[in-house]
Amino acid sequence: MPDREVSPLRVSQILISRELSQRIRAWGKAQRMGVSERGRIAPQVIDAFLTAHPDASATAGRLELVHAVVQEPGDGRAAPDDYAWQDDEATLGPIYTLTFVHALDEREVLRRFGVAPQNIKLLTDEDVYERLEATDGMGDLVMTVGLGAWTVALERDAWQGTRSEVLRELSRDGGQAIAVSRHDYASHRLAYAADGQVLTSFNPEFPFTREGIDPGHLDRHLCDLGIDPKADDQIGNCLPAALALGSRISGVMLTPAHLEGPLLGGSVTIPPSR
């Protein structure tokens, strides 16, 4: 458990009722802001709507959240704001998983995910969309990008990287793996494994409840981001915070440019060996 106190940055956020959500979607579509029929509404769309409709903001309920922010800036390490780009659904979409893996190259990461070696090839965005259509949206593709001593695996509309079996396989023999998964229609996930064991796993939106053989293993990093692991808080910018945490462990600063295809990847067809 961390040995220092944390003073979280608490913010008030408007409660989006079903009726208000419908109003925002209709307005966003009329403004051609790329609003989808379902799922999470981008914060910039909500902010723009509330600016244009101050009456809605004045009459709506409020929710107190914690906004993750680096407590000691200036050390050159990742901050949640560095990952604000993940809110752009055009980049990753409402469901994705990014897994940071240490000391394995791209082909070995794919093999440990369960991609047969003969099926590994360069994949474009078009290949991904065609595969999603062919599988009725059940994503089974994993793509990789090598970044020094780490490899980052990308899954669109899938979350294999958060599975305990996969994390144990990716981290065995002294390795490390950090998975961050966004799922706007279910729940998000952050998980960390080392040397073949899942040390901690939790929903980064509600990090008070943590699982694994060492649930508090990442508490120091949570504190560094202004999140008190002992408090039952809801984190408003949980996904940028989770990705920043992954970067602070790995030293890898991921950008949208890294995820532009073609990327080496393939379909998962082989169950993890352990």
Side-chain angles (χ1 to χ4, degrees), residues 14-15 24 37 41 43 49 51 53 56 82 86 103 106 122 140 146 158 160 175 178 180 209 211-212 253 259 267 269:
I14 191 170
L15 284 171
I24 295 172
E37 290 291 339
I41 303 174
F49 174 86
T51 299
H53 303 83
D82 292 320
Q86 78 84 44
E106 295 155 285
L122 288 175
D140 63 356
Q160 291 288 325
I178 311 123
V180 176
T209 303
E211 304 165 355
M253 184 71 78
L259 305 178
S267 298
T269 57

Side-chain angles (χ1 to χ4, degrees), residues 99-232:
T99 307
F100 301 72
V101 185
H102 184 242
L104 300 179
D105 65 20
E106 295 155 285
R107 288 183 177 274
E108 181 61 13
V109 166
L110 291 168
R111 190 188 70 79
R112 295 197 190 192
F113 257 94
V115 179
Q118 66 272 22
N119 293 334
I120 296 174
K121 61 181 180 180
L122 288 175
L123 297 173
T124 65
D125 286 345
E126 184 177 352
D127 293 326
V128 175
Y129 298 137
E130 286 181 357
R131 182 61 181 171
L132 286 171
E133 286 188 6
T135 59
D136 197 23
M138 299 297 292
D140 63 356
L141 291 180
V142 182
M143 296 172 289
T144 54
V145 54
L147 297 170
W150 291 75
T151 294
V152 177
L154 165 63
E155 301 171 74
R156 297 182 188 272
D157 288 273
W159 45 91
Q160 291 288 325
T162 63
R163 294 177 57 210
S164 296
E165 305 94 312
V166 175
L167 286 167
R168 289 195 292 266
E169 181 68 7
L170 291 171
S171 66
R172 64 177 169 83
D173 302 325
Q176 298 179 75
I178 311 123
V180 176
S181 185
R182 171 178 173 174
H183 197 315
D184 284 1
Y185 315 129
S187 62
H188 312 311
R189 203 74 187 164
L190 186 154
Y192 174 77
D195 200 17
Q197 300 184 88
V198 180
L199 300 185
T200 187
S201 177
F202 53 91
N203 180 346
E205 188 173 7
F206 302 99
F208 177 73
T209 303
R210 301 180 298 285
E211 304 165 355
I213 65 170
D214 183 12
H217 190 83
L218 299 181
D219 284 2
R220 174 175 60 85
H221 294 287
L222 292 174
C223 288
D224 288 344
L225 295 173
I227 298 171
D228 185 350
K230 302 186 295 294
D232 191 9

Side-chain angles (χ1 to χ4, degrees), residues 8 30 41 59 70-71 83 106 108 168 175-176 186 233-234 241 245:
I41 303 174
T59 59
V70 174
Q71 297 291 284
Y83 284 101
E106 295 155 285
E108 181 61 13
R168 289 195 292 266
Q176 298 179 75
D233 291 325
Q234 182 176 354
L245 190 152

